[in-house]
Amino acid sequence: MQTLDIIRRRCGNAPVTLGLVLGSGLGHLTDAVAGVAIDYADLPGFPQAGVSGHRPRLVVGELEGVRVAVFGGRAHYYETGDPAAMRGPLEALRGLGADTLLLTNAAGSFRTDLPPGELMLLADHLNFSGRNPLIGEPSEARFVNMTEAYDRPLRAELARAAAAEGIRLEEGVYAWYSGPSFETPAEIRALRTLGADAVGMSTVPEVILARFLGLRVAAISVITNMAAGLSDEAISHEHTKAMAPLGAAKLERLLRRFLAASAR
Ligand code: HPA
């Protein structure tokens, strides 16, 4: 059976408005949605591998009056070497009727005014990996304009929701580094010089795919650590997962306020 048929049969035919992809340590937000959950394992075209701290299931249902599709986990390029690993889920999202995608991730910060626990709204990105999920895509649509990849009106709505909740939401540039090893301090110095404010191992290929599919995109980083060489704290995946809840509570408040405002 086709993926969309499976989702519709289990979750109903009502169109979805928005998709939400949850990053490392943020997967529990799937619990916030009143809806039906489907394991990725039951969905053809969805990534089957998993990283701890993610919850590989799709939940379709209501959150603050908006019908959403929440992706409890993502496939990272470093898991299989496939930068298009999230194409299946994003195509399904489009097929369900969504026009908007909100991505979240955990990231290491370069800025002392963005310490662990802060949120950063992506204004732009640096594709430091050199990989592109559209390599091999035959259609002319592959020549995606990335000038305004992070939708300005959407960013403004998120900024308003943050202000209403009293949450600081700085804008910044996110650099995608392939992982799975963390960066060296020299790489962080280089990325900083190039204009990045934070670094992580995800999101950028999904933004490219989402723009290709015609989705409006916004993305928020939960800062879990200072990037390599910028603090004495040891960087690890365990540390990322342990620190994510610091920002996750704020992120949930922000998302709820944003959705409630857009439901009106
Ligand atoms: N580097 C890359 N990815 C990350 C980091 C980091 O410092 N923190 C959380 N995800």
Side-chain angles (χ1 to χ4, degrees):
M1 205 188 328
Q2 291 293 309
T3 305
L4 272 180
D5 291 339
I6 297 173
I7 299 172
R8 288 204 186 102
R9 185 168 295 192
R10 304 247 311 246
C11 307
N13 278 325
V16 163
T17 302
L18 172 142
L20 176 62
V21 176
L22 300 172
S24 290
L26 307 170
H28 69 277
L29 283 179
T30 53
D31 299 339
V33 182
V36 177
I38 310 177
D39 288 337
Y40 285 4
D42 296 332
L43 294 169
F46 273 55
Q48 302 305 327
V51 176
S52 65
H54 288 254
R55 216 171 277 191
R57 55 191 197 144
L58 167 69
V59 185
V60 178
E62 290 262 323
L63 190 57
E64 300 296 334
V66 179
R67 190 160 161 85
V68 295
V70 182
F71 300 83
R74 57 158 52 92
H76 304 78
Y77 169 65
Y78 62 71
E79 290 174 61
T80 59
D82 177 11
M86 286 298 283
R87 185 162 174 164
L90 295 178
E91 282 178 342
L93 177 67
R94 199 75 176 110
L96 292 170
D99 67 353
T100 303
L101 176 67
L102 241 166
L103 299 158
T104 65
N105 61 50
S109 169
F110 301 177
R111 282 168 44 183
T112 50
D113 69 327
L114 275 179
E118 290 291 310
L119 304 180
M120 184 184 91
L121 180 62
L122 275 66
D124 205 344
H125 73 228
L126 281 174
N127 184 351
F128 202 58
S129 77
R131 304 284 159 196
N132 195 298
L134 296 175
I135 289 173
E137 163 60 39
S139 73
E140 288 285 293
R142 65 188 165 187
F143 299 112
V144 178
N145 181 346
M146 296 294 288
T147 317
E148 292 271 334
Y150 298 85
D151 191 78
R152 269 186 199 280
L154 208 48
R155 277 153 59 193
E157 286 167 39
L158 285 161
R160 271 195 294 278
E165 284 291 325
I167 293 168
R168 210 169 141 245
L169 186 64
E170 289 282 315
E171 287 210 339
V173 174
Y174 174 95
W176 176 33
Y177 181 86
S178 80
S181 61
F182 283 95
E183 307 75 33
T184 65
E187 285 164 345
I188 294 303
R189 285 194 297 275
L191 285 171
R192 208 177 181 181
T193 307
L194 292 173
D197 298 293
V199 63
M201 303 178 190
S202 69
T203 303
V204 167
E206 294 151 36
V207 173
I208 295 169
L209 286 166
R211 294 303 300 138
F212 168 70
L213 295 169
L215 290 157
R216 298 196 304 159
V217 179
I220 297 174
S221 291
V222 171
I223 302 299
T224 54
N225 57 281
M226 295 309 291
L230 300 181
S231 98
D232 294 334
E233 206 144 27
I235 294 171
S236 69
H237 185 56
E238 287 309 312
H239 184 259
T240 296
K241 285 188 294 179
M243 296 303 282
L246 265 186
K250 280 196 283 188
L251 183 65
E252 181 169 347
R253 270 168 50 218
L254 167 60
L255 293 176
R256 283 183 181 280
R257 175 69 76 135
F258 163 76
L259 289 171
S262 63
R264 271 188 241 120

